[in-house]
Amino acid sequence: MKTERILCALLSALVAVSCGTQHKLKNIRSGNVQAGLVMPSGRYPAFKDLSLQEKETPADTLRIVDFEGRETLIMNAIRDEDGEMVATDKLQAAVVTARFRNVAERQGKVNLEFQVIVPAAMQDSKWQLRLTPDMYVLVDSLRLSPVIITGKDYRKAQLRGYQQYQRFLDSIITDSTLFINRGALEIFLERNIPEVYYFRNDTSFVSDEEFSSAYGVTQQQAVDHYTWQLWKKWNKRKISRKDLMYRRYVKSPLVSDGVRLDTVIQSANGDFVYNYVQSLHSRAGMKKAEIVLSGGIWEQDKQLFQIPRSEALTYYISSIAGLADNKERYLKRITERRVEANTACYIEFPQGKSVIEPQLGNNQEEMGRIKSNIRSLIINEQFDLDSISVVAFASPEGTRIANEALTGRRAVAASDFFASYAKLIRDSVIKERGVILQLGTNDEDVEKIPEISVSGRSGGENWAMLNALIHSDSRLAASAKESYETLQDRFSDLDELESHLSREPYYHHLREQLYPRLRVVKFNFFLHRKGMLKDTVHTTEIDTCYMRGVQCLRDNDYEGALKRLWTYSDYNTAVALTALDRNVSAMKLLSGMPADAKVNYLKAILYSRKGDDKNAVQCYMHSCSQDPSFIHRGNLDPEISALISKYGLNLDN
């Protein structure tokens, strides 16, 4: 009788639990109870003692001075039953129940905070709730990491399934020698192959030939004969059924990867609240994000109920980039009609002569480079080549007068040579353009090519270049350089200076290494821009570097924006600094700018971050009076929104 009473009590308890579970499920299905998302509960921020101009000013009151010098008191206020705003010195905790919130993008990231709420009526020790938030941004959707709430009995069943599966794994035999009838095998060996039986405790390898008995039985044949094949076959079948048995026993696997939370509820004595924070990298054009919750209630491998999608939480994303000044910035450029280009080459001449020999030394390569320059300038579509000036230089050995005469002749020889080449190229281009005209083309680009004058003059001894070479020559000792400078100061006559240099120990280095580099021929090309009549033209063009920085701001690439805007030190530079939370540098820039609406608003954000409510509110009110659009903008930035809520700003616009 006692046993029967115990069984009846257990049965009654089981029925009661089952009825309770069914009742919960019925309420959930009827929609009376549901899980969902809410904004986190919030309170007004605690007020600071602002220590303003007059001590009698309440601690939650600001004394603001407008543009006309009039003082205004701003304090925390509420609207009374007649619709009038009245001050209140009592701050009530406010639970946020709205389905939308303004969030700020800062330093390229947005933090979306929300709470996953599961009423106690949805919790049961036998259930597991799998809740998954989904985020929608622009045209993309992202499934966030799920939140799993597991009942105590559900977790016990999970662990019990793992235990059952482990017992199954433990029943699988991994040592194949256990399937062999060792006793019968040893008797066989002792009777038929005693020499092998003698080594039964030896681990040495025995080949099939050594193992074979007089009857030709091999080792494998003997082992197979004395193996319990049915037992081995049954064990093999177990191995093949491991996956099947895992699914049978572990109906609800434990999951850790990709799960934000997996917690075990001991008892359903209250609502479950999980504070969820999702970080999001900002993108260009990202103004809004929505989050919805869905999921299901599971009992082991069976889904009892599919939780419908919740009402969306909407986050309106404000970015400092929205404060950027998108006006185009221009650069002023002065374009000169006349342009000069120059180059140099080393034309080798026979000693003491001025005859050009193209095959001498490296002349062919050096002169070929000058020819290429002349040709490219003659056929250039932007410039016309007017004239070429050739200047030849000599090294200091010999007399100054002789060197000047020699370099003069060499300059004339070079100018004559390249004048002939320039005429050849000019005539060739004119002939080609003449053919184009004969074909009836009205191409305006077919223009006349001006005559090209080529002149040569002597550059004399190249002392200026020698001074530079000696100064930069690392192989010359400091004492040698000092000696050279001393000689220069002593002798103004260049021939006398060269004579004394020839007696110095370092002269051989000068003559062998530096002097050949002084015998250079320089070419100056004088051009003018085609179609340009004035000597100078002033033009403006878009500052592409600056505009790329502004585009980086719009794309929320603040590091890239600051890199391009840093040298400008203007308002947009301050925007980039503010976005990167470099508040001191941003305020320093803004303090030197005219206080227009945008500057005042940005300063209001920076003062708010600093905790200076007085200046923050004053700058914000000034910006709103200058540009009423900032009244709405203030609700989007948390730094300003906090001030609006704290002091009841903008309630009557």
Side-chain angles (χ1 to χ4, degrees), residues 248-286:
R248 176 179 296 180
Y249 293 130
V250 185
K251 296 180 180 179
S252 178
L254 295 172
V255 180
S256 58
D257 294 339
V259 175
R260 179 62 66 94
L261 175 74
D262 184 1
T263 184
V264 177
I265 300 296
Q266 298 292 333
S267 59
N269 56 358
D271 295 348
F272 173 84
V273 179
Y274 176 68
N275 293 313
Y276 204 118
V277 179
Q278 179 67 32
S279 292
L280 178 65
H281 288 281
S282 63
R283 290 181 286 170
M286 191 172 70

Side-chain angles (χ1 to χ4, degrees), residues 77-87 651-653:
I78 61 174
R79 193 181 297 276
D80 65 10
E81 59 184 6
D82 296 325
E84 298 294 330
M85 297 303 301
V86 297
L651 290 172
D652 291 320
N653 289 337

Side-chain angles (χ1 to χ4, degrees), residues 96-161:
V96 180
T97 57
R99 306 302 297 178
F100 66 89
R101 171 173 289 181
N102 297 317
V103 294
E105 173 270 321
R106 294 296 182 263
Q107 299 188 36
K109 288 187 177 181
V110 180
N111 288 329
L112 306 181
E113 299 182 24
F114 56 92
Q115 291 178 332
V116 178
I117 305 293
V118 180
M122 288 191 71
Q123 304 170 29
D124 191 275
S125 63
K126 293 184 178 180
W127 293 349
Q128 184 181 71
L129 277 70
R130 305 173 189 174
L131 305 169
T132 304
D134 291 300
M135 180 170 62
Y136 299 89
V137 180
L138 297 175
V139 296
D140 298 329
S141 62
L142 175 65
R143 173 144 290 189
L144 307 182
S145 301
V147 173
I148 298 177
I149 305 170
T150 305
K152 183 178 180 181
D153 293 336
Y154 187 98
R155 179 53 53 87
K156 286 181 178 179
Q158 280 182 304
L159 298 177
R160 186 165 54 251

Side-chain angles (χ1 to χ4, degrees), residues 261-326:
L261 175 74
D262 184 1
T263 184
V264 177
I265 300 296
Q266 298 292 333
S267 59
N269 56 358
D271 295 348
F272 173 84
V273 179
Y274 176 68
N275 293 313
Y276 204 118
V277 179
Q278 179 67 32
S279 292
L280 178 65
H281 288 281
S282 63
R283 290 181 286 170
M286 191 172 70
K287 303 295 184 183
K288 184 176 73 170
E290 291 186 329
I291 296 179
V292 298
L293 184 72
S294 59
I297 300 176
W298 295 75
E299 188 172 7
Q300 292 303 305
D301 58 340
K302 180 181 178 183
Q303 184 175 2
L304 301 179
F305 180 70
Q306 182 174 349
I307 299 174
R309 291 165 62 89
S310 68
E311 186 180 353
L313 295 183
T314 302
Y315 297 84
Y316 294 101
I317 301 169
S318 67
S319 172
I320 292 294
L323 299 173
D325 187 348
N326 297 317

